[in-house]
């Protein structure tokens, strides 16, 4: 049997290699510093445009109306988009068609628009699909031929913001003047570079733009996550300290399962700390630190994998109703390896790629395997729990049965919450295609982190180290039957487990022990128990 859709080892390994190659091929570190390297424009209606970036930006806390923002002034409290070294290069054919004596031979415009003002760009309000002004529309005096149609806000004539750059004579390259546009209104902002002249087709853009919020370079929808990861680091630290104190207090009675729980707590602690420092560095520099991000992504993938494997082996009754996983070990490890690779690839693309949403096809290619593998884990976990509960009911191990019932209820609640949250995510994404709800977007990844932490807390409470760990541990000598009611056979070293309903039966059994042993009944009882 194969999990995660792999029908052979070759297919599994091929999938692993393919996912890794895809993830590394499309990873290119971006940040609030958007870099453009020989990027081309695409056609839309009667215009040509290039998407220069989109981010949620908060309004500046300190307004600078009289003086523009400059490099020699502190940036705290300022929110802006800065254009640095932006150049446009047209084709040689387009250049040769121009008149050398003509001052302006081509126009490229940078348009900064808040998402709620998107209807002010283009001719939709003029009952036209045109984005660029045509002679017919220019006759009405609403626009100028060769420019992008923009309906200015009477109360705020700078919105949407238009910045024009002209080619001169037969110059093949046009440089945009370095300038900074201050953001005085909170919103989701889009930057487009556009031109209307068909003769300029083939233009490429180089340079970069720097986007900054009042508190730093983190995009608005990511900024709350830095605080969240800081708080989660403290939460894991508190859980780790409590678990460590309990671990040390009962170190002589520690079960193998306790070491696995300790590993998950440690991984979670490092994961949250790395994400906090990664976001803090990103916020201060504007670029994601490759080293910290790689470590954070890897720890995240490892922790997710180990957490799922921990829940799976606990559901199988490892250390409680069975001493080992026996033949299931290879299948469990295979599922874990495949899940780690798929999760690592998805995390790499999401956190090392452009902060704008990446290609839908690439995302589906990486998200679907993770979702299918999660489904495999869920099915296998609940199937194993059902078998474990059935064994405990047959053996009437009431303490263990109650423990696993609580664990099952906790898992069921977490699955229901997960399904409900997935429904909310689908609704959120379907109703917010332009990221107008960007200020709430951080809650979606935060939920999964918090749910994983709460489930780990439940496991820590249920399987906490204690002075009597054998109450929930597998007992080899007793065959893991009713250890609370086991009886030693004098002189034989064999224990017989039975259902002793009353003290009278217990006394009668003690009287007959010697006789039973003499006539070989002890061996018969042991054989019956094995059957």
């Amino acid at each position: 049997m194969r999990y995660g859709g792999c029908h052979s080892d070759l297919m599994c390994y091929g999938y692993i290699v393919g996912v890794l190659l895809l993830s590394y091929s499309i990873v290119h570190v971006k940040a609030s510093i958007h870099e453009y390297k020989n990027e081309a424009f695409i056609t839309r209606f009667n215009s040509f445009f290039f998407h220069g970036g989109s981010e949620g930006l908060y309004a500046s806390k300190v307004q600078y109306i009289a003086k523009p923002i400059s490099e020699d002034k502190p940036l705290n409290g300022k929110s802006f988009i800065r254009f640095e070294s932006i150049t446009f290069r047209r084709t040689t054919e387009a250049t040769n068609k121009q008149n050398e004596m003509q001052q302006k031979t081509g126009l490229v415009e940078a348009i900064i628009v808040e998402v709620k003002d998107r209807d002010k760009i283009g001719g939709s309000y003029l009952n036209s699909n045109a984005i660029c002004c045509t002679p017919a529309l220019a006759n009405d005096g609403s626009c100028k031929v060769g420019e992008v149609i923009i309906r200015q806000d009477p109360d705020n004539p700078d919105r949407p913001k238009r910045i024009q750059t002209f080619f001169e004579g037969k110059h093949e390259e046009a440089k945009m003047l370095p300038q900074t546009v201050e953001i005085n209104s909170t919103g989701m902002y889009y930057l487009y570079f556009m031109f209307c002249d068909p003769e300029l087709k083939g233009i490429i853009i180089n340079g970069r733009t720097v986007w900054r919020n009042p508190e730093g370079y983190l995009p608005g929808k990511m900024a709350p996550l830095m605080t969240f990861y800081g708080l989660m680091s403290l939460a894991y630290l508190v859980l780790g300290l409590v678990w460590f104190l309990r671990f040390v207090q009962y170190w002589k009675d520690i079960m193998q399962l306790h070491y696995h729980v300790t590993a998950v707590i440690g991984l979670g602690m490092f994961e949250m700390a790395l994400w906090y420092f990664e976001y803090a560095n990103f916020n201060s520099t504007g670029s994601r630190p490759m080293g910290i991000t790689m470590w954070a992504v890897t720890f995240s993938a490892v922790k997710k994998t180990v957490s799922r494997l921990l829940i799976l082996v606990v559901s199988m009754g490892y250390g409680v109703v069975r001493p080992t996983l026996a033949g299931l070990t290879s299948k469990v490890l295979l599922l874990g390896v495949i899940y780690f690779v798929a999760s690592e690839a998805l995390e790499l693309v999401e956190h090392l790629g452009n902060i704008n949403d990446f290609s839908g096809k690439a995302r589906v290619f990486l998200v679907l395997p993770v979702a299918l593998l999660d489904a495999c884990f869920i099915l296998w976990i609940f199937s194993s729990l059902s078998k474990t509960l059935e064994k405990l009911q047959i053996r009437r191990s009431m303490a263990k049965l109650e423990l696993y019932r609580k664990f099952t209820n906790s898992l069921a609640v977490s699955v229901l919450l997960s399904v409900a949250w997935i429904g909310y995510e689908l609704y959120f994404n379907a109703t917010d295609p332009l990221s107008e709800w960007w200020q709430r977007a951080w809650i979606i990844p935060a939920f999964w982190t918090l749910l994983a932490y709460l489930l780990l807390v439940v496991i820590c409470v249920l399987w906490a180290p204690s002075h009597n760990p054998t109450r929930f541990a597998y007992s080899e000598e007793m065959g893991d039957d009713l250890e609370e009611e086991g009886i030693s056979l004098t002189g034989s070293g064999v224990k017989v487990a039975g259902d002793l309903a009353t003290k009278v039966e217990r006394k009668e059994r003690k009287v007959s022990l010697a006789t039973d042993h003499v006539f070989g009944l002890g061996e018969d009882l042991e054989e019956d128990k094995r059957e």
Side-chain angles (χ1 to χ4, degrees):
M1 182 177 182
R2 298 292 180 191
Y3 295 89
C6 289
H7 299 290
S8 67
D9 289 340
L10 182 60
M11 289 181 63
C12 290
Y13 296 139
Y15 167 77
I16 292 172
V17 173
V19 168
L20 284 177
L21 288 176
L22 174 69
S23 64
Y24 281 105
S25 66
I26 61 180
V27 163
H28 51 287
V29 178
K30 297 287 186 180
S32 286
I33 299 175
H34 296 256
E35 295 186 359
Y36 319 122
K37 298 180 179 179
N38 296 322
E39 308 286 353
F41 287 67
I42 62 176
T43 306
R44 182 167 179 82
F45 296 114
N46 65 339
S47 70
F48 301 84
F49 82 98
F50 168 73
H51 182 206
S54 56
E55 287 188 25
L57 295 174
Y58 291 94
S60 295
K61 293 183 178 181
V62 181
Q63 304 296 321
Y64 291 85
I65 300 176
K67 297 181 180 179
I69 299 173
S70 60
E71 291 289 345
D72 58 346
K73 294 182 180 179
L75 301 178
N76 292 337
K78 302 176 186 179
S79 182
F80 57 80
I81 300 174
R82 183 167 58 229
F83 297 85
E84 297 182 353
S85 305
I86 301 293
T87 61
F88 307 100
R89 181 179 295 275
R90 57 186 172 183
T91 62
T92 304
E93 293 78 8
T95 303
N96 293 334
K97 294 179 182 179
Q98 308 305 321
N99 186 342
E100 189 173 359
M101 302 301 294
Q102 198 170 356
Q103 186 176 5
K104 298 178 180 179
T105 57
L107 170 64
V108 181
E109 298 181 281
I111 309 294
I112 300 175
V113 57
E114 190 179 349
V115 67
K116 66 180 181 181
D117 296 330
R118 61 188 180 276
D119 59 336
K120 295 179 180 178
I121 294 182
S124 58
Y125 68 98
L126 299 173
N127 297 321
S128 170
N129 289 327
I131 295 177
C132 293
C133 187
T134 62
L137 295 174
N139 291 334
D140 298 335
S142 55
C143 59
K144 295 181 181 179
V145 176
E147 294 184 358
V148 175
I149 301 172
I150 295 180
R151 181 178 56 176
Q152 300 289 350
D153 186 350
D155 298 329
N156 193 345
D158 289 333
R159 293 179 56 182
K161 180 72 174 178
R162 182 204 306 262
I163 303 174
Q164 297 182 331
T165 303
F166 291 92
F167 285 90
E168 296 181 1
K170 286 194 172 184
H171 291 180
E172 193 170 320
E173 188 174 274
K175 294 184 178 180
M176 184 177 180
L177 293 176
Q179 55 188 294
T180 300
V181 178
E182 186 174 353
I183 303 300
N184 295 321
S185 176
T186 299
M188 173 60 67
Y189 285 85
Y190 283 76
L191 169 63
Y192 294 102
F193 295 95
M194 308 179 71
F195 65 89
C196 300
D197 188 353
E199 292 186 357
L200 295 178
K201 186 176 181 180
I203 283 181
I204 58 174
I205 180 176
N206 286 280
R208 71 177 192 172
T209 54
V210 179
W211 304 53
R212 193 183 192 279
N213 270 293
E215 302 298 333
Y217 291 99
L218 269 178
K221 63 181 180 181
M222 298 172 64
L225 286 173
M226 184 174 70
T227 303
F228 173 76
Y229 286 131
L231 294 175
M232 288 305 301
S233 297
L234 294 177
Y236 269 98
L237 179 61
V238 171
L239 178 62
L241 288 175
V242 174
W243 181 264
F244 177 75
L245 292 175
R246 192 89 176 181
F247 196 94
V248 172
Q249 184 178 1
Y250 301 104
W251 67 275
K252 292 183 178 180
D253 301 313
I254 293 299
M255 298 188 298
Q256 187 68 29
L257 188 62
H258 292 145
Y259 292 101
H260 299 300
V261 176
T262 304
V264 174
I265 295 175
L267 287 171
M269 195 182 305
F270 278 107
E271 178 197 11
M272 293 299 104
L274 284 171
W275 279 125
Y276 174 77
F277 286 116
E278 197 267 353
Y279 273 57
N281 191 296
F282 187 0
N283 191 52
S284 62
T285 65
S287 298
R288 307 200 81 150
M290 174 68 81
I292 299 178
T293 305
M294 286 291 294
W295 278 108
V297 164
T298 302
F299 265 94
S300 182
V302 171
K303 199 263 288 185
K304 286 181 180 179
T305 304
V306 174
S307 298
R308 282 157 176 75
L309 293 178
L310 173 64
I311 295 174
L312 179 59
V313 298
V314 168
S315 301
M316 290 178 173
Y318 173 68
V320 177
V321 298
R322 62 167 73 195
T324 65
L325 297 180
L328 294 174
T329 303
S330 59
K331 295 180 180 179
V332 171
L333 291 178
L334 178 61
L335 180 58
V337 169
I338 297 174
Y339 186 86
F340 166 76
V341 173
S343 180
E344 175 85 353
L346 179 60
E347 293 278 345
L348 282 173
V349 173
E350 286 188 332
H351 294 97
L352 292 182
N354 198 322
I355 56 175
N356 300 317
D357 291 336
F358 51 88
S359 169
K361 292 182 180 180
R363 179 173 175 79
V364 169
F365 182 85
L366 295 172
V367 168
L368 279 180
V370 176
L372 291 175
L373 290 169
D374 275 326
C376 289
F377 268 112
I378 292 174
L379 292 175
W380 202 358
I381 285 170
F382 279 97
S383 175
S384 300
L385 274 175
S386 177
K387 295 177 181 178
T388 301
L389 288 171
E390 184 179 355
K391 289 180 181 179
L392 293 174
Q393 286 176 341
I394 293 175
R395 298 174 180 178
R396 287 182 292 181
S397 299
M398 303 311 296
K400 295 178 182 178
L401 184 61
E402 182 65 20
L403 173 73
Y404 268 86
R405 280 177 177 169
K406 291 179 180 178
F407 180 60
T408 303
N409 292 337
S410 300
L411 281 181
V413 170
S414 68
V415 170
L416 291 176
L417 288 175
S418 298
V419 172
W421 194 255
I422 290 173
Y424 173 74
E425 280 192 46
L426 293 175
Y427 167 79
F428 185 92
N429 294 325
T431 56
D432 187 37
L434 298 176
S435 300
E436 294 180 82
W437 298 348
W438 58 276
Q439 290 174 286
R440 286 181 277 171
W442 69 274
I443 299 176
I444 291 178
F447 170 83
W448 298 111
T449 301
L450 185 61
L451 182 63
Y453 175 79
L454 293 177
L455 197 55
L456 180 59
V457 170
V458 169
I459 293 177
C460 290
V461 171
L462 294 178
W463 274 272
S466 65
H467 65 280
N468 186 22
T470 56
R471 186 185 181 192
F472 299 133
Y474 177 83
S475 178
E476 183 178 358
E477 292 84 0
M478 297 164 55
D480 195 42
D481 279 315
L482 298 179
E483 60 272 12
E484 299 96 326
E485 299 169 351
I487 302 173
S488 293
L489 295 179
T490 305
S492 66
V494 180
K495 291 187 177 180
V496 181
D499 181 16
L500 303 182
T502 63
K503 293 183 179 180
V504 174
E505 290 179 350
R506 192 175 288 114
K507 291 180 179 179
E508 292 176 353
R509 181 65 60 86
K510 288 181 179 179
V511 171
S512 62
L513 284 178
T515 305
D516 291 344
H517 182 65
V518 171
F519 289 96
L521 293 181
E523 290 77 6
D524 294 339
L525 287 173
E526 181 65 16
E527 182 67 23
D528 291 341
K529 185 174 68 174
R530 283 196 297 268
E531 294 177 357

